[in-house]
């Protein structure tokens, strides 16, 4: 009980001094963050170019995410090629649900997504959120 009292006293003191205390994260907050991240996704078509991009990461997402939204391909394999290094991070199998293809990427980082996987005649419409 003393832990609750100490926390409540600290919160009261901070509020009195003009500080704001953020509310705990909720499922709604997490859902809103995902919506804003995916809401900025770009749509590309497999086979249009050698590499998708270049793109620059934004504050909407902390990760780079990808999914298939159309076509007859069951999956694609993707990586993120960062401009600074010029190499792919790792190859990831991506299907019809959002999949993270790079994690904890700094805002303003330039990258491309190579389009080098042969789908053997399959087509794919892809979204990339960053």
């Amino acid at each position: 009980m003393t832990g609750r009292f100490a926390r409540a006293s600290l919160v009261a003191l901070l509020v009195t001094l003009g500080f704001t205390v953020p509310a705990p994260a909720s499922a709604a907050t997490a859902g809103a963050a995902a919506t804003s991240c995916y809401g900025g996704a770009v749509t590309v078509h497999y086979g249009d170019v050698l590499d998708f991009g270049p793109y620059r990461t934004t504050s909407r997402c902390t990760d780079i995410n990808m999914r298939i939204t159309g076509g007859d391909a069951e999956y694609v394999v993707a990586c993120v090629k960062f401009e600074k290094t010029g190499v792919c991070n790792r190859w990831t199998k991506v299907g019809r649900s959002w999949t993270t293809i790079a994690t904890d990427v700094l805002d303003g980082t330039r990258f491309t997504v190579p389009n080098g996987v042969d789908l053997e005649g399959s087509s794919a419409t892809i979204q990339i959120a960053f």
Side-chain angles (χ1 to χ4, degrees), residues 9-101:
S9 296
L10 178 60
V11 169
L13 175 64
L14 291 173
V15 169
T16 302
L17 294 173
F19 292 92
T20 59
V21 180
S26 66
T29 303
T35 299
S36 65
C37 174
Y38 301 146
V42 296
T43 301
V44 293
H45 302 282
Y46 183 83
D48 286 352
V49 293
L50 184 59
D51 287 354
F52 298 129
Y55 304 114
R56 185 177 302 270
T57 56
T58 65
S59 59
R60 280 191 312 271
C61 306
T62 54
D63 302 328
I64 299 171
N65 306 283
M66 188 171 158
R67 71 175 177 173
I68 296 174
T69 59
D72 57 5
E74 291 182 34
Y75 68 90
V76 296
V77 181
C79 77
V80 174
K81 185 195 267 183
F82 295 103
E83 182 179 83
K84 188 173 185 176
T85 63
V87 296
C88 281
N89 61 338
R90 71 178 186 284
W91 290 95
T92 304
K93 185 177 179 179
V94 177
R96 298 205 176 252
S97 59
W98 285 110
T99 303
T100 301
I101 59 174

Side-chain angles (χ1 to χ4, degrees), residues 111-122:
F111 70 96
T112 60
V113 178
N115 186 9
V117 178
D118 183 5
L119 292 176
E120 299 179 18
S122 295

